[in-house]
Amino acid sequence: MRSEEYTNFIFDNCDTVELAKTFGTPLYVMSEDRIKSKCRDIRENFLNKYPNTRAAYASKAFTTMAMCKIIEREGLGLDVVSGGELYTAIRADFPMERIIFHGNNKSYEEIALGVTHDIGRFVVDNIYELELLEEIAAEQNKKVKILFRITPGVEGSAHKYINTGQEDSKFGIPLDEKIIEYVVKKAMDSSNIILKGFHFHIGSQLFDSNLNILAINVTVNLMKSLKEKFGFITEELNIGGGFGIRYTDEDDETKPISFHTDPVMQAVKDECAGAGLDMPIIIIEPGRWIVGEAGITLYTLGAIKEIPNVRTYISVDGGLPDNPRPALYEAKYEAIVANKANEKPEKVVTIAGKCCESGDILIWDLKVPQIESGDILAVFNTGAYNYSMSSNYNRLPRPAVVLINEGNAELIVERENYDHLLEREIVPSRLGKAQSISCDVALTRLE
Ligand code: LLP
């Protein structure tokens, strides 16, 4: 980084102010290098360190066809959770045997898409899905490989909306003896289903391994009892994702992969040895940890509202529709004024989004230098669950996404325009005619 020469914020050799000029704002900027370096850590310190391990990227955190290509080249698998995510992978020519299909209410069409394309694993969440999958596999005359998602009864430590492993959860099969034994037996007896093992996911933004270790203890007990009762051998155990990243100084530092995986591997080894079981293949599914810190969002500052002795609000040209996380989870972010990166902070302001919602505040109490409308704000660590959770609320077109790589920036998702917002709308003729002009024409007429 050449920060002495530049007053602009440089992100992975790209001048962010230039990016804002070239591509407009709001703009999602993703660094290929940062994504790859996380994948490299997984390869070197998990996959290569431990035999019989796999890693799949949880594409719900951020997915596009270009992202699928990066993940494919990095040698990871892909966790998808809907027909849309699966279709993105199919169109990106992602190797289907590396796909893991999640979801607590997969539709007939979604399951059929997965069966048709011979995806690697279905993670079956409930009895209803098992029956549907069996029926579709039989229709297509296929044998599908599955894991059962179980609810280990362990509570995550993050916001309650991102904890999933607790007993009272919509996800997974409860570890009630009758229920779990019923589904395992049913899968074992099916001629179209091959049961390979189990999956759990405790929750997101985890900074210690204790919860995963508790869940491993519960799962190994289950594995032991199923072996004793039915002779069932668990070949695979998928422990989900959830590894945390640092958003602000209040969070722990982002830890290397080994911080999360070493204790888990040790626990599986010890527990299995204690139970007289062979070690299963261990699979991890990080999403946020891979892409969270690889992304920033650029905004242009607009209206400045000073309320004497109260606070100063500065509004940006995006907000809740491109980053709903502060409103949903009270998530916190750090940011920098990108065109004044070397200037000392002098005041504290609140960064507001432009939506008609009082809750649309991106950052409370951000320290900034002297600022004015037109300045560019770079919000850090927006790579995960921002673009993928974006909406058109207030009919705001979604921002573009650029991928930066060795100082070059390329569009991987075009900015939406007003016509995209209306693309699938129909006005019934009895209500009158719609204008047939495009937004380009409408905009020039307005000028
Ligand atoms: N595997 C499964 C089965 C999951 O449900 C999830 C996340 C992951 C892996 C990846 O978790 P990660 O490594 O990204 O934490 N929208 C929320 C996060 C929801 C996560 C849902 N499941 C947020 O913005 O914080």
Side-chain angles (χ1 to χ4, degrees), residues 223-236:
M223 287 158 56
K224 184 168 185 252
S225 120
L226 292 173
K227 185 179 172 199
E228 285 165 3
K229 287 195 182 155
F230 307 122
F232 176 73
I233 308 285
T234 302
E235 290 173 51
E236 294 177 14

Side-chain angles (χ1 to χ4, degrees), residues 58 60-61 79 102 149 162 164 199 201 203-205 240-243 285-289 325 329 384-385 389:
K60 74 204 78 178
D79 145 3
H102 283 281
R149 177 166 185 166
I162 56 178
T164 51
H199 167 278
H201 173 81
S204 233
Q205 253 323 61
F243 312 143
E285 291 171 339
R288 185 193 322 264
W289 187 87
R325 298 193 71 258
Y329 319 116
Y385 303 110
M389 292 179 77

Side-chain angles (χ1 to χ4, degrees), residues 320 323-331 359-361:
L320 183 148
N323 184 0
R325 298 193 71 258
L328 261 179
Y329 319 116
E330 297 179 23
D360 182 16
I361 301 292

Side-chain angles (χ1 to χ4, degrees), residues 188-201:
M188 287 174 76
D189 292 344
S190 165
S191 41
N192 298 96
I193 301 276
I194 304 168
L195 176 61
K196 303 292 267 182
F198 300 96
H199 167 278
F200 63 76
H201 173 81

Side-chain angles (χ1 to χ4, degrees), residues 216-273:
I216 286 166
N217 173 276
V218 171
T219 314
V220 171
N221 283 340
L222 172 73
M223 287 158 56
K224 184 168 185 252
S225 120
L226 292 173
K227 185 179 172 199
E228 285 165 3
K229 287 195 182 155
F230 307 122
F232 176 73
I233 308 285
T234 302
E235 290 173 51
E236 294 177 14
L237 173 57
N238 181 328
I239 64 150
F243 312 143
I245 64 164
R246 175 185 224 159
Y247 284 97
T248 70
D249 289 350
E250 287 169 23
D251 299 324
D252 282 358
E253 265 172 43
T254 306
K255 303 288 200 282
I257 200 69
S258 54
F259 172 88
H260 299 282
T261 47
D262 284 355
V264 157
M265 293 308 287
Q266 191 61 46
V268 182
K269 196 171 153 212
D270 293 346
E271 294 276 348
C272 285

